[in-house]
DNA sequence: AAAACACATGAATAATTGTTCATACGATAA
DNA sequence: TTATCGTATGAACAATTATTCATGTGTTTT
């Protein structure tokens, strides 16, 4: 009975298909890339941030306008804009007292469109 | 000084650009769609699940093999496969004692590819 | 100068969530 | 049948996180 372990890592069960595991293991992207990808999707995994991004698809907006649009406090929006900013998804420019936020990535729309394809496909059954 | 509120929702700041807010408001997708989209991305927002999906890009796999590949317990993998399954992202087939999981959505790859575009673009600066 | 406004931010709280542990289920083997 | 194996799952725990509240910063206005 085989008791192989891959990468000397702890695992409480046997490897059933060693060939498959080895082949897939070689094809896996770098750990760091996968981590970064998960971090990016984590940013998209919140309704408020999704709404902010959709709003910014249409127009650059200041914090107060976004807060009014979404019916949320200025503080909550500001906190979320910070998350979006550190993820490199939005940028801002200051004009007097007002700070205008806009999208800083032209690929986000594509990601969301593909996401909708999945959602809509799911509901056809 | 204007004190408008949109949609009769509470918001602790003034609407500065009423025209922009109204125009963007009309263009926003349905609340439910945005919620579903966030839920989908939430599933992608975990390194373990990202790894599982990448593994399944290459080959269908049983639970033990995935656990060995990722160096994690069978229980942890099984819990995550449950999440992926209820999101409509993976399907399974049973053969005796062994359960084989495989991808159930051909669009996921596109979403991830676009995600990588963002990540790689970000690191060029 | 002080007051008002737009926005940012630290701390606290509540809610969500990933993993572990123990155990149960379903199928095969002895 | 009993034992074993592959998998599923509920409960518990730790860690993360979204919002609120209070307050601070920077800019304009009076």
């Amino acid at each position: 009975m085989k008791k192989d372990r891959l990468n000397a890592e702890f695992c409480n069960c046997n490897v059933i298909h060693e060939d498959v595991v080895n082949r897939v293991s070689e094809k896996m992207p770098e750990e760091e890339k996968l981590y970064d990808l998960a971090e990016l999707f984590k940013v998209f995994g919140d309704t408020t941030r999704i709404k902010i991004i959709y709003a910014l698809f249409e127009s650059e907006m200041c914090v107060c306008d976004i807060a009014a649009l979404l019916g949320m406090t200025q503080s909550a929006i500001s906190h979320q804009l910070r998350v979006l900013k550190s993820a490199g998804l939005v940028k801002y420019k200051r004009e007097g007292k007002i700070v205008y936020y806009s999208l800083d990535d032209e690929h986000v729309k594509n990601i969301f469109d593909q996401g909708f394809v999945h959602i809509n496909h799911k509901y056809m059954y």
Side-chain angles (χ1 to χ4, degrees), chain A residues 43-44 47-59 70 84 89-90 103 108-109 112:
Chain A
V43 174
F44 295 149
T47 314
T48 300
R49 288 191 293 264
I50 289 272
K51 287 178 183 172
I52 292 175
I53 293 173
Y54 263 96
L56 297 182
F57 279 152
E58 297 303 325
S59 170
L70 304 187
L84 293 171
L89 294 167
V90 304
L103 284 183
V108 178
K109 184 78 172 152
F112 284 16

Side-chain angles (χ1 to χ4, degrees), chain A residues 31-43:
Chain A
E31 173 86 20
E32 190 195 342
K33 289 278 181 186
L34 296 175
Y35 177 81
D36 290 341
L37 194 60
E39 287 301 303
L40 175 65
F41 287 130
K42 208 172 287 184
V43 174

Side-chain angles (χ1 to χ4, degrees), chain A residues 1 4 25 31 33 43 61 84 98 110-112:
Chain A
M1 208 49 87
D4 284 330
S25 180
E31 173 86 20
K33 289 278 181 186
V43 174
M61 296 183 82
L84 293 171
I98 304 177
N110 295 333
I111 299 177
F112 284 16

Side-chain angles (χ1 to χ4, degrees), chain A residues 86-113:
Chain A
S86 61
L89 294 167
V90 304
K91 59 178 187 274
Y92 66 95
K93 69 177 182 210
R94 177 159 213 138
E95 285 185 8
K97 290 183 292 189
I98 304 177
V99 177
Y100 293 94
Y101 281 85
S102 58
L103 284 183
D104 194 22
D105 189 305
E106 68 274 21
H107 311 295
V108 178
K109 184 78 172 152
N110 295 333
I111 299 177
F112 284 16
D113 286 344

